């Protein structure tokens, strides 16, 4: 069997409740796709890890752009271990676990882990799409943030009206 996970450093706005794992894969010894969840832990200053603070939905085989909910209220986080929101810079460890019928997730899949530095940026005072692209939270759209909105529009992730709102904020 083989298992792997790629969890890239990322910047999120203060109060964000989820992070994105770039990719993960679990293949059983017979070559078939395995079922797993991506479980998130905080990496402490001494290198140890916390109890689980979030988990993805069930995944099978190879997956990409996996959302991990840090505000999970399922039975796995009964003791309030979930992070709720990200409010300060932290290092998180993504770890693959087998799925389980008896609990939220089963045992970990060996060395299938990856750490990422999560940088928390201020929440923008701007509303809507302009606020989403004001990544430094300063209330102004700069040329880089406008470029990010243009890229999102080109990829179909932003409507022309939303791009217009970001452009208007840039021009003001």
């Amino acid at each position: 069997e083989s298992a792997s996970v790629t969890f890239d450093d990322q910047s999120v706005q203060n109060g964000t409740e989820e992070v994105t794992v770039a990719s993960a894969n679990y293949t059983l010894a017979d070559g078939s796709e395995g079922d797993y969840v991506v479980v998130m832990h905080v990496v402490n200053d001494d290198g140890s890890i916390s109890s689980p603070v979030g988990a993805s939905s069930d995944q099978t085989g190879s997956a990409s752009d996996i959302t991990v909910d840090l505000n999970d209220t399922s039975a796995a986080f009964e003791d309030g271990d979930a992070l709720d929101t990200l409010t300060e810079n932290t290092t998180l460890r993504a770890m693959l676990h087998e799925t389980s019928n008896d609990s939220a997730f089963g045992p970990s899949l060996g060395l299938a882990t990856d750490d990422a530095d999560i940088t928390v940026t201020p929440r923008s005072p701007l509303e809507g799409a302009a606020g989403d692209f004001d990544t430094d939270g300063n209330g102004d759209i700069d040329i880089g943030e406008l470029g990010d909105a243009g890229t999102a529009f080109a990829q179909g992730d932003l409507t022309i009206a939303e791009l217009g709102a970001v452009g208007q904020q840039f021009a003001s």
Side-chain angles (χ1 to χ4, degrees):
E1 79 182 34
S2 68
S4 64
V5 61
T6 302
F7 185 34
D8 298 327
D9 293 351
Q10 52 201 274
S11 292
V12 299
Q13 283 192 333
N14 188 14
T16 297
E17 297 180 355
E18 57 191 35
V19 291
T20 302
V21 172
S23 63
N25 182 58
Y26 179 36
T27 306
L28 301 174
D30 66 5
S32 63
E33 296 182 327
D35 296 327
Y36 62 94
V37 293
V38 180
V39 177
M40 205 58 62
H41 301 266
V42 173
V43 179
N44 300 313
D45 291 340
D46 65 3
S48 65
I49 60 172
S50 68
S51 297
V53 295
S56 70
S57 59
D58 290 355
Q59 307 291 318
T60 300
S62 184
S64 59
D65 295 327
I66 304 162
T67 299
V68 177
D69 183 2
L70 302 175
N71 195 16
D72 194 318
T73 56
S74 70
F77 303 100
E78 280 177 354
D79 298 332
D81 289 333
L83 269 183
D84 297 328
T85 62
L86 289 165
T87 56
E88 61 187 13
N89 296 348
T90 189
T91 300
L92 296 177
R93 177 168 298 160
M95 183 180 294
L96 299 193
H97 284 251
E98 292 178 16
T99 57
S100 170
N101 294 333
D102 300 330
S103 65
F105 42 85
S108 68
L109 293 168
L111 301 176
T113 67
D114 195 17
D115 291 1
D117 292 325
I118 309 301
T119 303
V120 177
T121 60
R123 184 169 293 284
S124 174
L126 302 176
E127 297 293 322
D132 293 342
F133 285 92
D134 180 19
T135 53
D136 59 9
N138 68 356
D140 290 318
I141 297 295
D142 63 34
I143 191 67
E145 293 163 336
L146 181 61
D148 291 343
T151 300
F153 173 73
Q155 294 172 339
D157 296 331
L158 200 63
T159 68
I160 189 67
E162 291 168 327
L163 179 59
V166 176
Q168 282 181 320
Q169 192 63 46
F170 172 76
S172 67

